[in-house]
PDB file of all heavy atoms in Angstrom:
ATOM      1  N   VAL A 404      -0.658  -2.312  -5.135  1.00 89.00           N
ATOM      2  CA  VAL A 404       0.241  -2.940  -6.145  1.00 89.00           C
ATOM      3  C   VAL A 404      -0.066  -4.397  -5.895  1.00 89.00           C
ATOM      4  O   VAL A 404       0.268  -5.004  -4.912  1.00 89.00           O
ATOM      5  CB  VAL A 404       1.604  -2.540  -6.047  1.00 89.00           C
ATOM      6  CG1 VAL A 404       2.407  -3.234  -7.127  1.00 89.00           C
ATOM      7  CG2 VAL A 404       1.757  -1.036  -6.185  1.00 89.00           C
ATOM      8  N   VAL A 405      -0.555  -5.143  -6.995  1.00 92.00           N
ATOM      9  CA  VAL A 405      -0.717  -6.548  -7.017  1.00 92.00           C
ATOM     10  C   VAL A 405       0.316  -7.274  -7.901  1.00 92.00           C
ATOM     11  O   VAL A 405       0.347  -6.851  -9.085  1.00 92.00           O
ATOM     12  CB  VAL A 405      -2.172  -6.912  -7.400  1.00 92.00           C
ATOM     13  CG1 VAL A 405      -2.399  -8.372  -7.399  1.00 92.00           C
ATOM     14  CG2 VAL A 405      -3.172  -6.259  -6.528  1.00 92.00           C
ATOM     15  N   THR A 406       1.077  -8.118  -7.394  1.00 88.00           N
ATOM     16  CA  THR A 406       2.061  -8.783  -8.129  1.00 88.00           C
ATOM     17  C   THR A 406       1.671 -10.271  -8.386  1.00 88.00           C
ATOM     18  O   THR A 406       1.352 -10.994  -7.427  1.00 88.00           O
ATOM     19  CB  THR A 406       3.471  -8.812  -7.364  1.00 88.00           C
ATOM     20  OG1 THR A 406       3.773  -7.493  -7.039  1.00 88.00           O
ATOM     21  CG2 THR A 406       4.474  -9.568  -8.099  1.00 88.00           C
ATOM     22  N   ASP A 407       1.643 -10.662  -9.592  1.00 89.00           N
ATOM     23  CA  ASP A 407       1.372 -12.096  -9.970  1.00 89.00           C
ATOM     24  C   ASP A 407       2.696 -12.827  -9.952  1.00 89.00           C
ATOM     25  O   ASP A 407       3.664 -12.525 -10.906  1.00 89.00           O
ATOM     26  CB  ASP A 407       0.849 -12.149 -11.414  1.00 89.00           C
ATOM     27  CG  ASP A 407       0.377 -13.615 -11.825  1.00 89.00           C
ATOM     28  OD1 ASP A 407       0.957 -14.512 -11.193  1.00 89.00           O
ATOM     29  OD2 ASP A 407      -0.440 -13.677 -12.720  1.00 89.00           O
ATOM     30  N   ARG A 408       2.933 -13.688  -9.003  1.00 84.00           N
ATOM     31  CA  ARG A 408       4.295 -14.333  -8.844  1.00 84.00           C
ATOM     32  C   ARG A 408       4.518 -15.339  -9.960  1.00 84.00           C
ATOM     33  O   ARG A 408       5.635 -15.756 -10.093  1.00 84.00           O
ATOM     34  CB  ARG A 408       4.330 -14.928  -7.471  1.00 84.00           C
ATOM     35  CG  ARG A 408       4.438 -13.886  -6.422  1.00 84.00           C
ATOM     36  CD  ARG A 408       3.764 -14.366  -5.136  1.00 84.00           C
ATOM     37  NE  ARG A 408       4.352 -13.711  -4.000  1.00 84.00           N
ATOM     38  CZ  ARG A 408       4.058 -14.062  -2.678  1.00 84.00           C
ATOM     39  NH1 ARG A 408       3.279 -15.017  -2.433  1.00 84.00           N
ATOM     40  NH2 ARG A 408       4.734 -13.386  -1.675  1.00 84.00           N
ATOM     41  N   THR A 409       3.642 -15.785 -10.573  1.00 82.00           N
ATOM     42  CA  THR A 409       3.767 -16.836 -11.743  1.00 82.00           C
ATOM     43  C   THR A 409       4.281 -16.092 -12.959  1.00 82.00           C
ATOM     44  O   THR A 409       5.068 -16.758 -13.720  1.00 82.00           O
ATOM     45  CB  THR A 409       2.422 -17.529 -12.112  1.00 82.00           C
ATOM     46  OG1 THR A 409       1.517 -16.678 -12.481  1.00 82.00           O
ATOM     47  CG2 THR A 409       1.962 -18.259 -10.859  1.00 82.00           C
ATOM     48  N   THR A 410       3.900 -14.858 -13.248  1.00 81.00           N
ATOM     49  CA  THR A 410       4.252 -14.082 -14.410  1.00 81.00           C
ATOM     50  C   THR A 410       5.246 -13.063 -14.223  1.00 81.00           C
ATOM     51  O   THR A 410       5.882 -12.427 -15.068  1.00 81.00           O
ATOM     52  CB  THR A 410       3.101 -13.647 -15.258  1.00 81.00           C
ATOM     53  OG1 THR A 410       2.422 -12.616 -14.409  1.00 81.00           O
ATOM     54  CG2 THR A 410       2.168 -14.798 -15.497  1.00 81.00           C
ATOM     55  N   GLY A 411       5.276 -12.479 -12.926  1.00 79.00           N
ATOM     56  CA  GLY A 411       6.001 -11.322 -12.615  1.00 79.00           C
ATOM     57  C   GLY A 411       5.282 -10.012 -12.862  1.00 79.00           C
ATOM     58  O   GLY A 411       5.821  -8.919 -12.676  1.00 79.00           O
ATOM     59  N   GLU A 412       4.090 -10.135 -13.460  1.00 84.00           N
ATOM     60  CA  GLU A 412       3.330  -8.893 -13.785  1.00 84.00           C
ATOM     61  C   GLU A 412       2.777  -8.283 -12.593  1.00 84.00           C
ATOM     62  O   GLU A 412       2.321  -8.873 -11.626  1.00 84.00           O
ATOM     63  CB  GLU A 412       2.121  -9.320 -14.809  1.00 84.00           C
ATOM     64  CG  GLU A 412       1.256  -8.091 -15.210  1.00 84.00           C
ATOM     65  CD  GLU A 412       0.139  -8.481 -16.112  1.00 84.00           C
ATOM     66  OE1 GLU A 412       0.004  -9.726 -16.356  1.00 84.00           O
ATOM     67  OE2 GLU A 412      -0.585  -7.585 -16.400  1.00 84.00           O
ATOM     68  N   ARG A 413       2.869  -6.964 -12.603  1.00 84.00           N
ATOM     69  CA  ARG A 413       2.405  -6.166 -11.529  1.00 84.00           C
ATOM     70  C   ARG A 413       1.434  -5.045 -12.000  1.00 84.00           C
ATOM     71  O   ARG A 413       1.632  -4.489 -13.013  1.00 84.00           O
ATOM     72  CB  ARG A 413       3.624  -5.485 -10.747  1.00 84.00           C
ATOM     73  CG  ARG A 413       4.366  -6.523 -10.027  1.00 84.00           C
ATOM     74  CD  ARG A 413       5.451  -5.761  -9.169  1.00 84.00           C
ATOM     75  NE  ARG A 413       6.309  -4.989  -9.942  1.00 84.00           N
ATOM     76  CZ  ARG A 413       6.624  -3.673  -9.612  1.00 84.00           C
ATOM     77  NH1 ARG A 413       6.156  -3.188  -8.579  1.00 84.00           N
ATOM     78  NH2 ARG A 413       7.491  -3.028 -10.375  1.00 84.00           N
ATOM     79  N   SER A 414       0.368  -4.897 -11.234  1.00 88.00           N
ATOM     80  CA  SER A 414      -0.639  -3.902 -11.580  1.00 88.00           C
ATOM     81  C   SER A 414      -0.832  -2.981 -10.462  1.00 88.00           C
ATOM     82  O   SER A 414      -0.825  -3.370  -9.264  1.00 88.00           O
ATOM     83  CB  SER A 414      -1.941  -4.515 -11.943  1.00 88.00           C
ATOM     84  OG  SER A 414      -2.442  -5.389 -10.945  1.00 88.00           O
ATOM     85  N   THR A 415      -0.924  -1.628 -10.753  1.00 88.00           N
ATOM     86  CA  THR A 415      -1.232  -0.600  -9.769  1.00 88.00           C
ATOM     87  C   THR A 415      -2.653  -0.154  -9.984  1.00 88.00           C
ATOM     88  O   THR A 415      -3.002   0.283 -10.988  1.00 88.00           O
ATOM     89  CB  THR A 415      -0.275   0.598  -9.852  1.00 88.00           C
ATOM     90  OG1 THR A 415       1.081   0.190  -9.806  1.00 88.00           O
ATOM     91  CG2 THR A 415      -0.475   1.687  -8.811  1.00 88.00           C
ATOM     92  N   ILE A 416      -3.491  -0.309  -8.781  1.00 92.00           N
ATOM     93  CA  ILE A 416      -4.869  -0.034  -8.893  1.00 92.00           C
ATOM     94  C   ILE A 416      -5.143   1.107  -7.862  1.00 92.00           C
ATOM     95  O   ILE A 416      -4.873   0.934  -6.663  1.00 92.00           O
ATOM     96  CB  ILE A 416      -5.743  -1.234  -8.624  1.00 92.00           C
ATOM     97  CG1 ILE A 416      -5.232  -2.456  -9.437  1.00 92.00           C
ATOM     98  CG2 ILE A 416      -7.213  -1.030  -8.641  1.00 92.00           C
ATOM     99  CD1 ILE A 416      -5.724  -3.809  -9.182  1.00 92.00           C
ATOM    100  N   LYS A 417      -5.735   2.229  -8.367  1.00 93.00           N
ATOM    101  CA  LYS A 417      -6.155   3.262  -7.434  1.00 93.00           C
ATOM    102  C   LYS A 417      -7.452   2.960  -6.779  1.00 93.00           C
ATOM    103  O   LYS A 417      -8.287   2.351  -7.339  1.00 93.00           O
ATOM    104  CB  LYS A 417      -6.189   4.620  -8.218  1.00 93.00           C
ATOM    105  CG  LYS A 417      -4.781   5.033  -8.778  1.00 93.00           C
ATOM    106  CD  LYS A 417      -4.943   6.348  -9.541  1.00 93.00           C
ATOM    107  CE  LYS A 417      -5.865   6.259 -10.763  1.00 93.00           C
ATOM    108  NZ  LYS A 417      -5.925   7.569 -11.531  1.00 93.00           N
ATOM    109  N   THR A 418      -7.548   3.449  -5.549  1.00 95.00           N
ATOM    110  CA  THR A 418      -8.733   3.294  -4.753  1.00 95.00           C
ATOM    111  C   THR A 418      -9.578   4.535  -4.493  1.00 95.00           C
ATOM    112  O   THR A 418     -10.594   4.808  -5.059  1.00 95.00           O
ATOM    113  CB  THR A 418      -8.459   2.446  -3.475  1.00 95.00           C
ATOM    114  OG1 THR A 418      -7.401   3.188  -2.789  1.00 95.00           O
ATOM    115  CG2 THR A 418      -7.911   1.078  -3.803  1.00 95.00           C
ATOM    116  N   VAL A 419      -9.035   5.208  -3.408  1.00 94.00           N
ATOM    117  CA  VAL A 419      -9.767   6.516  -3.014  1.00 94.00           C
ATOM    118  C   VAL A 419      -8.802   7.629  -3.036  1.00 94.00           C
ATOM    119  O   VAL A 419      -7.704   7.566  -3.066  1.00 94.00           O
ATOM    120  CB  VAL A 419     -10.389   6.340  -1.600  1.00 94.00           C
ATOM    121  CG1 VAL A 419     -11.557   5.369  -1.582  1.00 94.00           C
ATOM    122  CG2 VAL A 419      -9.341   6.121  -0.602  1.00 94.00           C
ATOM    123  N   LYS A 420      -9.427   8.947  -3.128  1.00 92.00           N
ATOM    124  CA  LYS A 420      -8.598  10.064  -3.289  1.00 92.00           C
ATOM    125  C   LYS A 420      -8.459  10.767  -1.891  1.00 92.00           C
ATOM    126  O   LYS A 420      -9.275  10.703  -1.055  1.00 92.00           O
ATOM    127  CB  LYS A 420      -9.361  11.125  -4.228  1.00 92.00           C
ATOM    128  CG  LYS A 420      -8.356  12.105  -4.770  1.00 92.00           C
ATOM    129  CD  LYS A 420      -8.935  12.788  -5.950  1.00 92.00           C
ATOM    130  CE  LYS A 420      -7.918  13.778  -6.684  1.00 92.00           C
ATOM    131  NZ  LYS A 420      -8.380  14.347  -7.864  1.00 92.00           N
ATOM    132  N   SER A 421      -7.268  11.430  -1.771  1.00 90.00           N
ATOM    133  CA  SER A 421      -7.020  12.091  -0.615  1.00 90.00           C
ATOM    134  C   SER A 421      -8.121  13.235  -0.245  1.00 90.00           C
ATOM    135  O   SER A 421      -8.737  13.744  -1.260  1.00 90.00           O
ATOM    136  CB  SER A 421      -5.643  12.871  -0.777  1.00 90.00           C
ATOM    137  OG  SER A 421      -5.353  13.898   0.278  1.00 90.00           O
ATOM    138  N   PRO A 422      -8.550  13.389   1.020  1.00 91.00           N
ATOM    139  CA  PRO A 422      -7.851  12.943   2.167  1.00 91.00           C
ATOM    140  C   PRO A 422      -8.280  11.667   2.757  1.00 91.00           C
ATOM    141  O   PRO A 422      -7.929  11.211   3.809  1.00 91.00           O
ATOM    142  CB  PRO A 422      -8.281  14.025   3.191  1.00 91.00           C
ATOM    143  CG  PRO A 422      -9.688  14.434   2.666  1.00 91.00           C
ATOM    144  CD  PRO A 422      -9.587  14.297   1.246  1.00 91.00           C
ATOM    145  N   LEU A 423      -9.055  10.877   1.914  1.00 94.00           N
ATOM    146  CA  LEU A 423      -9.492   9.491   2.375  1.00 94.00           C
ATOM    147  C   LEU A 423      -8.270   8.568   2.184  1.00 94.00           C
ATOM    148  O   LEU A 423      -7.381   8.854   1.429  1.00 94.00           O
ATOM    149  CB  LEU A 423     -10.625   9.008   1.602  1.00 94.00           C
ATOM    150  CG  LEU A 423     -11.962   9.834   1.527  1.00 94.00           C
ATOM    151  CD1 LEU A 423     -13.002   9.240   0.521  1.00 94.00           C
ATOM    152  CD2 LEU A 423     -12.504  10.066   2.891  1.00 94.00           C
ATOM    153  N   ILE A 424      -8.380   7.495   3.016  1.00 93.00           N
ATOM    154  CA  ILE A 424      -7.421   6.378   2.763  1.00 93.00           C
ATOM    155  C   ILE A 424      -8.221   5.067   2.658  1.00 93.00           C
ATOM    156  O   ILE A 424      -9.309   4.955   3.026  1.00 93.00           O
ATOM    157  CB  ILE A 424      -6.381   6.311   3.950  1.00 93.00           C
ATOM    158  CG1 ILE A 424      -7.061   5.772   5.121  1.00 93.00           C
ATOM    159  CG2 ILE A 424      -5.559   7.478   4.124  1.00 93.00           C
ATOM    160  CD1 ILE A 424      -6.047   5.416   6.282  1.00 93.00           C
ATOM    161  N   SER A 425      -7.514   4.015   2.028  1.00 94.00           N
ATOM    162  CA  SER A 425      -8.171   2.742   1.877  1.00 94.00           C
ATOM    163  C   SER A 425      -7.226   1.752   2.548  1.00 94.00           C
ATOM    164  O   SER A 425      -6.239   1.437   2.036  1.00 94.00           O
ATOM    165  CB  SER A 425      -8.287   2.390   0.445  1.00 94.00           C
ATOM    166  OG  SER A 425      -7.150   2.457  -0.327  1.00 94.00           O
ATOM    167  N   SER A 426      -7.592   1.274   3.689  1.00 90.00           N
ATOM    168  CA  SER A 426      -6.844   0.318   4.360  1.00 90.00           C
ATOM    169  C   SER A 426      -7.240  -1.171   3.960  1.00 90.00           C
ATOM    170  O   SER A 426      -8.341  -1.441   3.839  1.00 90.00           O
ATOM    171  CB  SER A 426      -6.920   0.315   5.874  1.00 90.00           C
ATOM    172  OG  SER A 426      -8.407   0.390   6.205  1.00 90.00           O
ATOM    173  N   MET A 427      -6.150  -1.976   3.647  1.00 89.00           N
ATOM    174  CA  MET A 427      -6.506  -3.301   3.145  1.00 89.00           C
ATOM    175  C   MET A 427      -7.071  -4.253   4.213  1.00 89.00           C
ATOM    176  O   MET A 427      -6.421  -4.299   5.250  1.00 89.00           O
ATOM    177  CB  MET A 427      -5.102  -3.870   2.534  1.00 89.00           C
ATOM    178  CG  MET A 427      -5.258  -5.056   1.620  1.00 89.00           C
ATOM    179  SD  MET A 427      -3.762  -5.710   0.901  1.00 89.00           S
ATOM    180  CE  MET A 427      -2.678  -4.487   1.105  1.00 89.00           C
ATOM    181  N   ARG A 428      -8.087  -4.922   3.878  1.00 88.00           N
ATOM    182  CA  ARG A 428      -8.773  -5.819   4.780  1.00 88.00           C
ATOM    183  C   ARG A 428      -8.514  -7.292   4.553  1.00 88.00           C
ATOM    184  O   ARG A 428      -8.039  -8.037   5.481  1.00 88.00           O
ATOM    185  CB  ARG A 428     -10.325  -5.521   4.808  1.00 88.00           C
ATOM    186  CG  ARG A 428     -10.687  -4.199   5.402  1.00 88.00           C
ATOM    187  CD  ARG A 428     -10.640  -4.187   6.881  1.00 88.00           C
ATOM    188  NE  ARG A 428      -9.401  -4.194   7.483  1.00 88.00           N
ATOM    189  CZ  ARG A 428      -8.669  -3.154   7.661  1.00 88.00           C
ATOM    190  NH1 ARG A 428      -9.175  -1.955   7.418  1.00 88.00           N
ATOM    191  NH2 ARG A 428      -7.439  -3.160   8.158  1.00 88.00           N
ATOM    192  N   ALA A 429      -8.803  -7.746   3.305  1.00 89.00           N
ATOM    193  CA  ALA A 429      -8.797  -9.237   3.121  1.00 89.00           C
ATOM    194  C   ALA A 429      -9.037  -9.582   1.588  1.00 89.00           C
ATOM    195  O   ALA A 429      -9.750  -8.897   0.844  1.00 89.00           O
ATOM    196  CB  ALA A 429      -9.865  -9.906   3.934  1.00 89.00           C
ATOM    197  N   TRP A 430      -8.366 -10.728   1.235  1.00 92.00           N
ATOM    198  CA  TRP A 430      -8.721 -11.307  -0.039  1.00 92.00           C
ATOM    199  C   TRP A 430     -10.034 -12.134  -0.014  1.00 92.00           C
ATOM    200  O   TRP A 430     -10.403 -12.567   1.175  1.00 92.00           O
ATOM    201  CB  TRP A 430      -7.585 -12.395  -0.452  1.00 92.00           C
ATOM    202  CG  TRP A 430      -6.343 -11.765  -0.866  1.00 92.00           C
ATOM    203  CD1 TRP A 430      -5.337 -11.282  -0.187  1.00 92.00           C
ATOM    204  CD2 TRP A 430      -6.004 -11.465  -2.304  1.00 92.00           C
ATOM    205  NE1 TRP A 430      -4.313 -10.802  -0.958  1.00 92.00           N
ATOM    206  CE2 TRP A 430      -4.737 -11.006  -2.339  1.00 92.00           C
ATOM    207  CE3 TRP A 430      -6.611 -11.667  -3.539  1.00 92.00           C
ATOM    208  CZ2 TRP A 430      -4.000 -10.569  -3.452  1.00 92.00           C
ATOM    209  CZ3 TRP A 430      -5.946 -11.419  -4.647  1.00 92.00           C
ATOM    210  CH2 TRP A 430      -4.635 -10.818  -4.639  1.00 92.00           C
ATOM    211  N   SER A 431     -10.766 -12.203  -0.973  1.00 92.00           N
ATOM    212  CA  SER A 431     -11.916 -13.144  -1.133  1.00 92.00           C
ATOM    213  C   SER A 431     -11.385 -14.634  -1.142  1.00 92.00           C
ATOM    214  O   SER A 431     -10.183 -14.856  -1.388  1.00 92.00           O
ATOM    215  CB  SER A 431     -12.733 -12.915  -2.358  1.00 92.00           C
ATOM    216  OG  SER A 431     -11.956 -13.055  -3.454  1.00 92.00           O
ATOM    217  N   LYS A 432     -12.250 -15.500  -0.732  1.00 90.00           N
ATOM    218  CA  LYS A 432     -11.726 -16.938  -0.703  1.00 90.00           C
ATOM    219  C   LYS A 432     -11.236 -17.446  -2.035  1.00 90.00           C
ATOM    220  O   LYS A 432     -10.407 -18.267  -2.021  1.00 90.00           O
ATOM    221  CB  LYS A 432     -12.986 -17.822  -0.236  1.00 90.00           C
ATOM    222  CG  LYS A 432     -13.373 -17.521   1.157  1.00 90.00           C
ATOM    223  CD  LYS A 432     -14.477 -18.490   1.641  1.00 90.00           C
ATOM    224  CE  LYS A 432     -15.766 -18.439   0.946  1.00 90.00           C
ATOM    225  NZ  LYS A 432     -16.535 -17.262   1.141  1.00 90.00           N
ATOM    226  N   ASP A 433     -11.853 -16.974  -3.190  1.00 91.00           N
ATOM    227  CA  ASP A 433     -11.248 -17.412  -4.475  1.00 91.00           C
ATOM    228  C   ASP A 433     -10.171 -16.682  -4.980  1.00 91.00           C
ATOM    229  O   ASP A 433      -9.586 -16.903  -6.099  1.00 91.00           O
ATOM    230  CB  ASP A 433     -12.445 -17.466  -5.483  1.00 91.00           C
ATOM    231  CG  ASP A 433     -13.064 -16.089  -5.733  1.00 91.00           C
ATOM    232  OD1 ASP A 433     -12.554 -15.055  -5.190  1.00 91.00           O
ATOM    233  OD2 ASP A 433     -13.998 -15.953  -6.506  1.00 91.00           O
TER     234      ASP A 433
END
C-alpha cells in the first residue's frame, strides 16, 4: 500500500501470488 502524503491518496498494488511472498527491499533514488 503506497500512501501519497501530499494528497492522502493510497494505492494497493499486488505483487506475487501465494505461496510466494514479496519482501520490500528499497525505493529507487528518484
Side-chain angles (χ1 to χ4, degrees):
V404 177
V405 180
T406 302
D407 185 338
R408 287 148 154 190
T409 61
T410 65
E412 181 181 358
R413 293 187 299 132
S414 56
T415 302
I416 305 168
K417 296 184 292 184
T418 52
V419 295
K420 196 163 188 176
S421 171
L423 303 177
I424 68 169
S425 58
S426 52
M427 197 178 341
R428 292 280 73 88
W430 284 86
S431 60
K432 294 188 294 291
D433 62 2

